[in-house]
Structures are given as C-alpha cells and as structure tokens.
Amino acid sequence: MTTYVDGFHYPGASQRMPYKKFGETDMELSLLGFGGGGLSGFYEEFKEEDAVEIVREALKNGINYIDTAPYYGEGRSETVIGKALKGIPRKAYYISTKVGRYTTKIDEGFNYSPEKIKSRFEISLRLLGLEYVDMIIIHDVEFAKMKDILEEVLPTLQEIVKSGKARYMGISGYPLSRLWDVINRATIKIDFVLSYSRDTLIDSSLDTYYPLFKSKGLGIINASATAMQMLTNAGPQPWHPASDSIKQLCAKAADYCKEKSVELGILAIHHTLSNLNTETLLIGMNSMDVLQANLELLFNKLSPTEEQVLNYIQQQILNRNNNLNWEGVELKKFNMVME
C-alpha cells in the first residue's frame, strides 16, 4: 500500500484492508472509503470532536480515501475533515472534493461558472488545510447544461489540475446515462466517475454501465449502498426523493430485519462490498460504532443469521433487477431539464 506510513497506521492495517487500482491513475484506493456526507448533518447530528476522532481512526485502520464537498453541510464536512487531518502525514490518504453544488437552497444551490468554481475551490483547500486534493469532482452533472460542462466546467477543472492544486478530475451524478453522455462527448480527459445509489439491493443498473466506464479507462467510485439510508432499519429522511411505493417496499424489508434483530444497512453494505465490480465504496460514518461496524463487516463478513435474512429479503421482498430509482424527481424539484 503506497499510503502506508510506519508509526501512524495500526500494525497490520495495510494487510487487512483490501485495495484496488483506481482506473489509469497512480492510486490504489481502499475498498472501504470515508464518505464526508455523513459529516454534513443531513442524516444525524454529531459532535465535532467525535467526528475528528472518527476520521483519524478510519485512516489508522487503513481507509485511505476520503470524499467531501462544499454542499455537505455548506462547508461543515470540509471543516471537520480539515481539523481531523492536522498532523496526519499527507502521504497517508487520498482526498476528493467537489464543485458546482453548494447549498440546499433551491435558488442558490448550483453554480457551475468558472469564477464560482475557482473561488469556492480555494475555500475548500483552506478549510481542508491542504495545498492540493487528489481528486476534484463536478458535483451532480445532471444539474448543469451539457454545453457548460463541455465548454466551461471541464476546462476549468483541467486548469486547476495543471496548476497542481488537484491531481485528477472526475464527474458525479445520479443518472448513469448522463455520466456516460458527458464522458462520450468530452474532449478533455476525465479520470473517473462517482455514482451513488446505483448498486444496491433495489438497483443493479451500475452493472450495465461498469464495462462501459472501464472501456474508457475510468476509475469508478461507488457511494450510498443504503440508497441514502432508505435501506436501513431507521429508514429514509423526510427529504428523500424516492416514491412512497419504493419507500414502503424498503420499509417492509426493514421490518423483517427488525423482527430478526438484524440491521438492514449492514446487509445492504455487505451486498455492495461483495460485488466484484466495486472498486471503492464510500460510506458516511459519524460515530465510532458505525465505523467499527463497517470495519467488522469488511473483515469478518455476515453471521449465519444475517446471511439467512439477506437471502430472504432478496428473494421474497426486494429485487435489485427491477432497478427502482428516483431519476428526474430532483430535477423537477429544482425546475430543471436535463440538456
């Protein structure tokens, strides 16, 4: 592991954690990545001092990839992560942040102009306490006009990479067709894609696009195996964009898990981690218990009871080949049309 630092990592951490080559980059990312969305306050509240320790503990255990964004808590995630990274050898981790989406306010949420990208990215570096990030990502490309992405946003990211303030550039979004369209039409090299909630217990659509992305030499970051908490015993937040019918189906699976004293979220994460196509999976973690549960799952797999429950809900309740999704719902919410 190229990110291993003697004296910082726990002994044996690099042997226990699986790593995979990331596209055509020089990076090998841990199979389990640290999702900074969990430090946004969107899901649960947390104490900042606890979050700082969780980030540090994750890195010491061999997790070497952290993702964040200005949108996550309007800078809160970047701020907490920046505090956690103080004193940690820069060699010990890879980190990404995003541009283009900044707030939950409908009239202010998106700004993909070169000026905004450059100015807010400098704030990201300051909050993170870094001179550069390893990856810079266009946040949710479905909310930007294709012409702007191709003619303004990608060239701006290319400029940032050439300046040395980022090493690689990528795109993120929910509609896989949009990601593929951007990749096919871009004349500037894109190094990776970030897809979320598309390789889950209710959606297998990433399996179709995986070989297409790989044919372009892209690294693939997977996120939100729980479909933004919908596949957990607690269920989704009120703002979740999925339809009531999808939520009710997932609630039925959660009820069965609760009857068997099993956490649906653990089953969902296990499912995605077990997919051979998974290169790195971002999971939001804002408590030490959640971090330890995910590490335990990665290293020790499921118990026999959990295996039985997973098989039942896969066969009797959920069918990932139905590709249940909420494409277009958020575009409608923000009164936008994909171009």
Side-chain angles (χ1 to χ4, degrees), residues 295-331:
L295 290 172
E296 193 77 13
L297 174 64
L298 182 64
F299 299 146
N300 298 321
K301 308 305 178 186
L302 298 180
S303 69
T305 299
E306 289 171 328
E307 287 278 7
Q308 292 171 2
V309 172
L310 176 58
N311 289 336
Y312 179 85
I313 64 173
Q314 285 178 313
Q315 295 173 16
Q316 303 297 325
I317 302 175
L318 305 177
N319 183 352
R320 68 188 302 262
N321 292 322
N322 286 336
N323 293 335
L324 302 178
N325 64 74
W326 51 90
E327 278 195 29
V329 173
E330 290 181 294
L331 287 169

Side-chain angles (χ1 to χ4, degrees), residues 16-32:
R16 297 182 73 194
M17 178 66 66
Y19 299 90
K20 290 189 177 183
K21 180 80 165 57
F22 188 58
E24 295 177 348
T25 74
D26 63 355
M27 299 182 292
E28 291 185 0
L29 302 188
S30 51
L31 182 59
L32 183 61

Side-chain angles (χ1 to χ4, degrees), residues 66 68-71 75 77-86 90 93-99 102 116-137 156-157 159-168:
I66 302 171
T68 185
Y71 175 65
S77 174
E78 290 180 319
T79 299
V80 172
I81 290 171
K83 292 179 179 180
L85 294 178
K86 286 182 179 178
R90 185 62 181 86
Y93 59 88
Y94 301 119
I95 189 167
S96 60
T97 194
K98 306 181 184 73
V99 298
Y102 303 108
K116 180 65 173 182
I117 288 173
K118 291 177 184 178
S119 63
R120 186 52 183 82
F121 178 65
E122 290 297 329
I123 295 174
S124 293
L125 290 179
R126 177 171 57 78
L127 293 178
L128 293 168
L130 300 175
E131 295 182 358
Y132 71 94
V133 295
D134 298 281
M135 293 173 267
I136 186 169
I137 305 171
T156 301
L157 264 61
E159 183 181 333
I160 291 172
V161 170
K162 287 182 177 179
S163 76
K165 293 182 179 180
R167 299 177 61 220
Y168 299 103

Side-chain angles (χ1 to χ4, degrees), residues 5 8 85 87-93:
V5 177
F8 170 73
L85 294 178
I88 293 178
R90 185 62 181 86
K91 178 188 174 185
Y93 59 88

Side-chain angles (χ1 to χ4, degrees), residues 4 6 19 35 50 56 62 94 96 98 139 146 219 264 275 297:
Y4 179 78
D6 192 30
Y19 299 90
D50 293 339
R56 290 175 172 269
Y94 301 119
S96 60
K98 306 181 184 73
H139 203 162
M146 180 63 74
L264 176 58
N275 190 332
L297 174 64

